[in-house]
Amino acid sequence: MRTYYIFLIKKEVYNITKDSPDNLFRLLESIYLLDKKDLNLGFKTFDKICRVVPKKNLNKLIKDELSENLCYTCFKNIHIINDFLNNESSKLTLYNSHIKIKSNSLYPTFFRTIKSIPNLFVCDFINVDYFYLRKVYTR
């Protein structure tokens, strides 16, 4: 099971990091691993590089895109795909700061659904995997 954290990166940060996202990943990882006593610093840093996730618009986009899929269910800001034929079990949760996907698939269906949104940066902090979603081939 993989856990992907997806951030909506500000355009000026994207322009600097699009060809070499290593430093962006390290910065986001340092915020992820930050001690609770330093949260104020983390919020300030995060605010400089990421935009707020438009949950209402994203909920609509995901629902409209997947409504015909029998394997898809939704409740508020949580979207689930249980596709037994393709052996995929994925859960997408929308937060104000990021999108979180837990999946047994390397490229969950949700990647295809949201890849049209510009400047989405995907991080798997546990497996040290990161990429801009638009730059990755998704089936």
Side-chain angles (χ1 to χ4, degrees):
M1 190 68 87
R2 298 203 44 172
T3 303
Y4 298 101
Y5 295 88
I6 304 171
F7 303 97
L8 191 53
I9 303 300
K10 290 184 176 180
K11 186 173 178 124
E12 51 276 4
V13 175
Y14 170 77
N15 289 334
I16 295 168
T17 62
K18 65 183 174 189
D19 296 324
S20 180
D22 303 355
N23 290 333
L24 178 59
F25 174 76
R26 290 189 212 321
L27 184 59
L28 288 169
E29 183 182 41
S30 70
I31 295 170
Y32 174 75
L33 298 172
L34 201 61
D35 193 57
K36 289 188 193 282
K37 64 181 178 175
D38 297 323
L39 282 180
N40 195 29
L41 173 65
F43 284 125
K44 287 179 182 178
T45 306
F46 185 84
D47 192 45
K48 290 188 186 302
I49 59 173
C50 296
R51 292 184 12 221
V52 173
V53 173
K55 292 194 306 189
K56 186 177 179 181
N57 294 346
L58 272 175
N59 270 323
K60 183 175 177 1
L61 173 83
I62 295 167
K63 285 178 186 175
D64 289 350
E65 189 77 24
L66 296 173
S67 63
E68 300 292 316
N69 187 336
L70 297 175
C71 304
Y72 168 74
T73 56
C74 173
F75 180 74
K76 294 188 179 181
N77 295 322
I78 299 172
H79 304 263
I80 299 171
I81 290 181
N82 282 315
D83 187 348
F84 298 108
L85 294 176
N86 293 314
N87 192 28
E88 179 185 351
S89 178
S90 298
K91 177 182 174 184
L92 179 145
T93 308
L94 295 171
Y95 298 95
N96 289 329
S97 58
H98 66 284
I99 302 165
K100 182 178 177 182
I101 298 176
K102 291 187 93 170
S103 181
N104 65 344
S105 174
L106 193 57
Y107 295 107
T109 301
F110 290 122
F111 280 1
R112 253 193 326 261
T113 307
I114 63 173
K115 75 177 180 180
S116 64
I117 300 166
N119 308 339
L120 289 180
F121 189 66
V122 180
C123 299
D124 179 351
F125 296 114
I126 294 170
N127 295 300
V128 190
D129 191 12
Y130 53 93
F131 49 89
Y132 277 103
L133 190 55
R134 278 209 174 156
K135 293 190 175 205
V136 174
Y137 169 76
T138 55
R139 309 181 261 134

